[in-house]
Amino acid sequence: MTEPLYTVRDLTRIYRRGPASVTALDAVSLEVARGDRLGIVGESGSGKSTLIRLMAGLDRPTSGTVRFAGREIQRLPERDLAFLRSEVQMVFQDPRGSLDPRMRVGEIITEPLRSALIDEGRYRRDPAARERRLREVLNAVDLPADSAGRYPHEFSGGQRQRIAIARALAPEPSVLIADEPVSALDVSVRAQVLNLLNDLVRDIGLTLVFVTHDLSVVRHLCTRVAVLRNGKLLEEGPTPQVFSQPASDYTAQLLAAVPKVRLG
Amino acid sequence: MTDPLLIVSNLSIDFGRHRRPALTDVSFELADNERLGIIGESGSGKTVTALAIMGLLPETATASGSIRLRGNEMVNTGDRELAPLRGNLMSMVFQEPMTALDPTMRVGRQVAEVLTLHQHSAKEAARSAVVAMLARVGLPDPERIADAYPHQLSGGQRQRVVLAMALVNSPDLVICDEPTTALDVTVQAHVLATLDAVLDEANAACLFISHDLAVVSQVCDKVLVMLDGRVVEAGTVAALFNDAQHPYTRGLIAASRIDQLEPGSRLPQVEDYWKGNDA
């Protein structure tokens, strides 16, 4: 059998401040196979964001291991992480905060291609290839080609999230990690962005790790779901199974809390 | 028959000549104890409507038409006349409790301030009223919470404190602007249930703004649909669901039914139903 794309073992992250310490993530183990769409759900403080930051190599665990594509990444120095930086890209919740307001959209999207920290050297040396890639990803997220010359503030919230997705796609990653990417969006815009993600993941064959507190989104988009609470993994399994037979009371509570339209 | 609590008629609001009007000819009524939801996308005019009723529009806004709350005209009325009405007759719950609360002040004092400003209560009487109010909005250990600073509370607890501030003077109208959008689902469910119960207890009317129809339907039976600063449709949640007249409303409803669809299938978008006025 082939090795999973991600293997997370006993991953623990303790934040210390003076004598106080907070265990943000407590011995979490899970696997993500290539092509999986894993939903990670839990409330604020459950450890969702800590887990994906460790998976993306943006933070180092207190103990435990993260294997990505056969290599342990948790102890690697930044100069050895270029392969991870191009393979794993992130989209954050608030596109207002994640897009530099002083950069044009074209510069924002091609910035990862110009970075020395990323494993896509052919783009770094080839401005024409960068231009081609820029047009490709703008097209992939349904933004007009002339968006490249404009600034983020000229776009709506949903369009800004498309820009963030385009930037994530630019270095041709195999994994997209999305941290609450539709939580700040209106219901109608949410549908557009979810449809876009769904199409991209299918067409490009991306592996998706999708963090959210909204279980209706997980049900729609994810093949597997992991439930976190207080830093611990309560359960993990195929989405239909977790939804129909939740193993923990907490998962059942989360499912019951999803607002449904009440008629009269 | 007595007049409705709130009568908004032909309300139009502009922010400067070069911009699209924020509101055009908005009219609706709200009776005592009644609850009305307002749904629509960002920029549809929901929040501007709420701010106009509260008399909190920025000075750059030009308003015409009329808002009568318990017989008081609110449009183009000075702050001196409006200030006593806010908190007493009407109050507001905002989306983000961290910005609605003063970070340097214990929350008990913030709730008490509303009481002492409007009712000139004595300090000790105010304290016990505050603690009772904090208990009513479902905060455990209200004595301790009253002495806490906002940053020491969770998001859900902070929003309950804001709710306590809004209700402590028993206003006739509570305006909630996306009160649970920033909260986790489980916390949202609890806060909505609390809101439902305390509005009942307090006999207060409510104007509830959200982009999420499912959330609105937890609190309100009647809904107003706004689009580009106009009211395009109004009715009960059930009527809108079963027989929406405007294609935009049908689009909003379809987009909100993510839980009814085959997983992985394409989600309906508002544009499938409504291309916009320009198209």
Side-chain angles (χ1 to χ4, degrees), chain B residues 36-51:
Chain B
L36 179 66
I38 303 184
I39 60 168
E41 297 176 43
S42 311
S44 60
K46 308 185 298 281
T47 296
V48 173
T49 304
L51 292 177

Side-chain angles (χ1 to χ4, degrees), chain B residues 99-196:
Chain B
T99 47
L101 294 170
D102 183 337
T104 67
M105 208 171 166
R106 294 179 197 276
V107 300
R109 258 188 72 202
Q110 300 192 46
V111 181
E113 202 177 54
V114 186
L115 267 181
T116 45
L117 276 177
H118 289 276
Q119 304 193 352
H120 312 288
S121 320
K123 247 188 164 173
E124 299 73 47
R127 166 84 189 185
S128 62
V130 165
V131 172
M133 191 67 232
L134 291 176
R136 261 176 64 200
V137 295
L139 283 164
D141 201 356
E143 290 276 355
R144 185 184 60 79
I145 299 247
D147 290 329
Y149 288 96
H151 75 268
Q152 295 170 315
L153 304 177
S154 69
Q157 288 174 327
R158 284 198 284 261
Q159 199 57 298
R160 285 171 193 272
V161 170
V162 173
L163 202 55
M165 278 171 85
L167 286 159
V168 72
N169 271 334
S170 318
D172 295 333
L173 172 65
V174 180
I175 301 177
C176 300
D177 189 359
E178 304 267 8
T180 59
T181 306
L183 304 176
D184 281 330
V185 262
T186 45
V187 181
Q188 164 171 279
H190 289 138
V191 170
L192 287 175
T194 302
L195 180 67
D196 191 41

Side-chain angles (χ1 to χ4, degrees), chain A residues 23-26 42-47 228-234 250:
Chain A
T23 305
L25 205 63
D26 193 354
E43 299 179 35
S44 314
S46 61
L228 285 176
R229 188 184 202 189
N230 298 331
K232 289 193 170 70
L233 182 69
L234 292 188
Y250 178 68

Side-chain angles (χ1 to χ4, degrees), chain A residues 145-166:
Chain A
D146 65 5
S147 307
R150 294 157 65 193
Y151 289 95
H153 75 263
E154 300 175 53
F155 295 86
S156 69
Q159 288 172 323
R160 277 195 285 247
Q161 203 55 299
R162 286 169 193 271
I163 295 168
I165 293 169

Side-chain angles (χ1 to χ4, degrees), chain A residues 41-59:
Chain A
V41 298
E43 299 179 35
S44 314
S46 61
K48 313 187 290 283
S49 295
T50 300
L51 173 59
I52 57 167
R53 284 174 58 76
L54 291 168
M55 289 171 74
L58 298 175
D59 185 19

Side-chain angles (χ1 to χ4, degrees), chain A residues 104-131:
Chain A
R104 291 178 198 273
V105 167
E107 299 169 66
I108 290 175
I109 292 173
T110 55
E111 191 181 29
L113 303 180
R114 286 176 278 125
S115 167
L117 297 174
I118 247 176
D119 230 4
E120 293 290 337
R122 60 198 168 89
Y123 285 119
R124 199 155 64 241
R125 290 182 292 277
D126 187 350
R130 285 204 299 272
E131 273 308 305

Side-chain angles (χ1 to χ4, degrees), chain B:
Chain B
M1 213 188 96
T2 52
D3 276 345
L5 169 65
L6 174 71
I7 307 170
V8 177
S9 33
N10 306 108
L11 182 66
S12 295
I13 292 172
D14 270 289
F15 290 97
R17 268 172 299 167
H18 303 294
R19 299 175 63 178
R20 194 166 58 78
L23 290 187
T24 309
D25 238 357
V26 168
S27 301
F28 64 91
E29 291 181 357
L30 186 64
D32 276 291
N33 294 326
E34 206 182 16
R35 300 177 190 177
L36 179 66
I38 303 184
I39 60 168
E41 297 176 43
S42 311
S44 60
K46 308 185 298 281
T47 296
V48 173
T49 304
L51 292 177
I53 296 168
M54 289 295 287
L56 291 174
L57 288 172
E59 282 178 12
T60 50
T62 330
S64 66
S66 157
I67 300 172
R68 294 188 81 79
L69 181 65
R70 191 69 81 222
N72 302 283
E73 177 58 51
M74 314 296 285
V75 171
N76 299 322
T77 303
D79 225 27
R80 196 190 300 260
E81 291 94 286
L82 288 179
L85 304 178
R86 286 186 214 123
N88 250 349
L89 195 53
M90 57 184 173
S91 63
M92 189 154 174
V93 177
F94 294 93
Q95 175 172 353
E96 189 36 77
M98 200 58 205
T99 47
L101 294 170
D102 183 337
T104 67
M105 208 171 166
R106 294 179 197 276
V107 300
R109 258 188 72 202
Q110 300 192 46
V111 181
E113 202 177 54
V114 186
L115 267 181
T116 45
L117 276 177
H118 289 276
Q119 304 193 352
H120 312 288
S121 320
K123 247 188 164 173
E124 299 73 47
R127 166 84 189 185
S128 62
V130 165
V131 172
M133 191 67 232
L134 291 176
R136 261 176 64 200
V137 295
L139 283 164
D141 201 356
E143 290 276 355
R144 185 184 60 79
I145 299 247
D147 290 329
Y149 288 96
H151 75 268
Q152 295 170 315
L153 304 177
S154 69
Q157 288 174 327
R158 284 198 284 261
Q159 199 57 298
R160 285 171 193 272
V161 170
V162 173
L163 202 55
M165 278 171 85
L167 286 159
V168 72
N169 271 334
S170 318
D172 295 333
L173 172 65
V174 180
I175 301 177
C176 300
D177 189 359
E178 304 267 8
T180 59
T181 306
L183 304 176
D184 281 330
V185 262
T186 45
V187 181
Q188 164 171 279
H190 289 138
V191 170
L192 287 175
T194 302
L195 180 67
D196 191 41
V198 288
L199 285 173
D200 259 350
E201 271 175 47
N203 285 321
C206 179
L207 201 60
F208 189 102
I209 293 171
S210 176
H211 67 271
D212 192 336
L213 186 60
V215 170
V216 169
S217 74
Q218 306 296 307
V219 180
C220 305
D221 299 326
K222 284 164 93 178
V223 179
L224 213 63
V225 183
M226 292 193 73
L227 170 66
D228 297 337
R230 293 170 193 269
V231 174
V232 294
E233 189 154 8
T236 63
V237 174
L240 290 189
F241 245 79
N242 298 326
D243 190 24
Q245 299 300 307
H246 197 284
Y248 175 72
T249 312
R250 289 200 286 272
L252 272 187
I253 289 170
S256 71
R257 307 200 82 177
I258 181 170
D259 56 326
Q260 311 279 316
L261 293 167
E262 181 63 26
S265 61
R266 187 180 170 283
L267 289 167
Q269 300 177 184
V270 171
E271 308 82 79
D272 302 343
Y273 295 80
W274 173 247
K275 302 282 182 211
N277 279 317
D278 313 326

